[in-house]
């Protein structure tokens, strides 16, 4: 504790807060390591499809509008088709997945990420055969929408 007080007196409050923020970012990146690696790889492989990027300082993520029709959140990166009709709703939903990723950390992929991806592909195949399946009824999608709604209340 004495070292913190010493640093506070010598370096100043803003510098200490900056160091603490960087430490928290490192911890978050380790906690979400699998998702962030997949997000990085997805970004590198789809670099040419990106139309626009936005930073979300509130939710601490980066949003990429793409030419690719897939919508996916991987760690702190959100990829959304730029011509989707309900763009704000989809971005909010995917930010919900990003928030769940931060909350669940290493457990996110097996508990939420993989089931959500499988459900998404299942719905795509079934809906292509003209059988309607409600995408938002699956537990992973309900959790993502709920997490985003809760983050707005705070």
């Amino acid at each position: 504790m004495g070292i913190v007080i010493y640093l506070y007196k010598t370096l100043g409050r803003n510098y200490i807060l900056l160091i603490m923020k960087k430490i928290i970012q490192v911890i978050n990146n380790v906690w979400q390591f699998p998702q962030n690696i997949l997000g990085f790889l997805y970004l590198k492989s789809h670099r040419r499809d990106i139309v626009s990027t936005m930073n979300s300082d509130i939710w601490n993520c980066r949003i990429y509008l793409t030419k690719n029709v897939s919508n996916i959140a991987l760690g702190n990166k959100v990829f959304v088709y730029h011509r989707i009709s309900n763009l704000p709703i989809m971005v909010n939903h995917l930010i919900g997945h990003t928030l769940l990723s931060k909350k669940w950390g290493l457990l996110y992929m097996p508990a939420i990420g993989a089931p959500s991806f499988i459900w998404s592909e299942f719905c795509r195949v079934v809906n292509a055969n003209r059988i309607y399946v409600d995408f938002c009824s699956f537990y992973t999608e309900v959790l993502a929408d709920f997490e985003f709604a809760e983050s707005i209340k705070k």
Side-chain angles (χ1 to χ4, degrees), residues 67-91:
K67 296 177 195 170
N68 189 346
V69 294
S70 297
N71 302 306
I72 191 166
L74 293 166
N76 56 6
K77 293 172 179 48
V78 172
F79 301 93
V80 185
Y81 179 52
H82 74 292
R83 290 190 179 162
I84 193 167
S85 60
N86 56 350
L87 183 64
I89 294 169
M90 181 56 71
V91 169

Side-chain angles (χ1 to χ4, degrees), residues 15-31:
Y15 190 72
I16 297 296
L17 291 175
L18 181 66
I19 290 172
M20 290 172 65
K21 186 176 180 181
K22 291 294 180 187
I23 290 170
I24 289 171
Q25 283 178 341
V26 168
I27 291 169
N28 275 337
N29 285 336
V30 170
W31 180 239

Side-chain angles (χ1 to χ4, degrees), residues 43 47 50-55 62-65:
L43 176 63
R47 177 62 86 186
I50 294 173
V51 175
S52 177
T53 43
M54 298 175 280
N55 274 332
R62 193 163 180 106
I63 301 163
Y64 298 91
L65 299 178

Side-chain angles (χ1 to χ4, degrees), residues 115-127:
S116 177
F117 180 76
I118 292 167
W119 177 250
S120 172
E121 291 305 307
F122 171 76
C123 288
R124 187 174 304 186
V125 169
V126 170
N127 289 341

